[in-house]
Amino acid sequence: GVIVDLHERLAASRSAHARDMRDLTVRELQVRFDVDAEQALRVRTAATALMRAACPDLDSEALRELAWACDLHEVGLMVSHHEHHRHGAYLVSNVDAAGFSQSQQRRIADLVLAQRGGLGKVDALLDQGAAAWMVLALRLAVIKCHTRNDIDAKALTLQRDGDQAHLRFSPAWAAGHPRTMHLLREEAATWQGRNSLKLALPA
């Protein structure tokens, strides 16, 4: 498994057209667990855009892990809508996932777990370098896409200032999305008191 993993990663790095077994595995898992692929793509697009804006120097492998977590963030809905993030994390942790190392599979599962709810359950993840920003990007993307409709990719932007995350949006957009704004204010409150980073909304 380790040899196959390394081989696929080297092949992917040599050619933009090379097939990475991990991409195939993620697509197979989406089908297996009846994931809404369109919603997963919305969340992936939003999360990776936020992450690139906040952490432009993030290495490509970490960005891919975030994207895979987005692709799989709703696998737990196959089990139950209630706390589906916990079910999803368990499934991602324990399913056979060709091409993924155990440590990488665990990190993706932790991101799936972190997509909603309190942050105490992923304290260890938040202490790992840029992982806190990956968690924030995923959580913001889930909020941004909660209506499950097409979204304005430029409506929300994220800026980094040390350990401060500044979310930017226009007053007109905020006025037109009261439910999303309520969720964003709750999210900012969730990050208060965290050592990893703080989330600030426009005054």
Side-chain angles (χ1 to χ4, degrees):
V2 173
I3 294 174
V4 171
D5 180 31
L6 291 173
H7 171 74
E8 292 291 340
R9 293 186 193 192
L10 285 171
S13 67
R14 289 184 185 128
S15 170
H17 304 290
R19 183 181 71 171
D20 189 324
M21 180 182 292
R22 295 170 296 175
D23 292 323
L24 298 177
T25 295
V26 168
R27 284 196 290 272
E28 289 170 359
L29 291 174
Q30 285 184 314
V31 172
R32 179 176 174 182
F33 294 108
D34 197 25
V35 168
D36 182 341
E38 290 185 0
Q39 178 66 2
L41 180 59
R42 289 186 198 101
V43 172
R44 171 199 265 251
T45 301
T48 54
L50 290 166
M51 194 66 196
R52 285 192 179 101
C55 302
D57 296 329
L58 185 72
D59 69 86
S60 60
E61 193 68 7
L63 193 62
R64 296 188 77 191
E65 288 178 5
L66 173 61
W68 287 321
C70 294
D71 291 340
L72 299 175
H73 80 283
E74 288 190 333
V75 295
L77 290 174
M78 175 64 79
V79 178
S80 173
H81 279 72
H82 179 63
E83 295 202 333
H84 71 81
H85 58 299
R86 294 185 182 275
H87 300 304
Y90 177 83
L91 290 171
V92 173
S93 288
N94 293 281
V95 73
D96 289 334
F100 287 96
S101 65
Q102 288 185 342
S103 59
Q104 188 171 55
Q105 195 170 337
R106 178 70 253 175
R107 284 194 300 274
I108 294 169
D110 286 343
L111 286 170
V112 171
L113 178 63
Q115 70 181 276
R116 59 188 300 181
L119 294 168
K121 61 184 178 290
V122 289
D123 274 337
L125 176 65
L126 297 179
D127 290 335
Q128 299 174 20
W133 290 89
M134 295 168 71
V135 169
L136 177 61
L138 174 56
R139 290 170 67 97
L140 290 175
V142 169
I143 291 172
K144 183 178 181 180
C145 302
H146 74 96
T147 63
R148 309 185 80 83
N149 296 317
D150 290 340
I151 50 128
D152 179 358
K154 299 180 180 179
L156 296 179
T157 59
L158 192 61
Q159 295 177 345
R160 180 175 185 173
D161 181 13
D163 63 354
Q164 293 285 325
H166 297 276
L167 196 61
R168 304 297 187 197
F169 47 80
S170 70
W173 182 88
H177 297 81
R179 173 61 179 164
T180 304
M181 286 304 305
H182 172 72
L183 295 173
L184 290 174
R185 285 190 287 270
E186 287 188 334
E187 184 66 14
T190 298
W191 288 92
Q192 290 303 311
R194 305 300 306 182
N195 293 325
S196 48
L197 61 83
K198 306 288 192 301
L199 174 62
L201 306 185

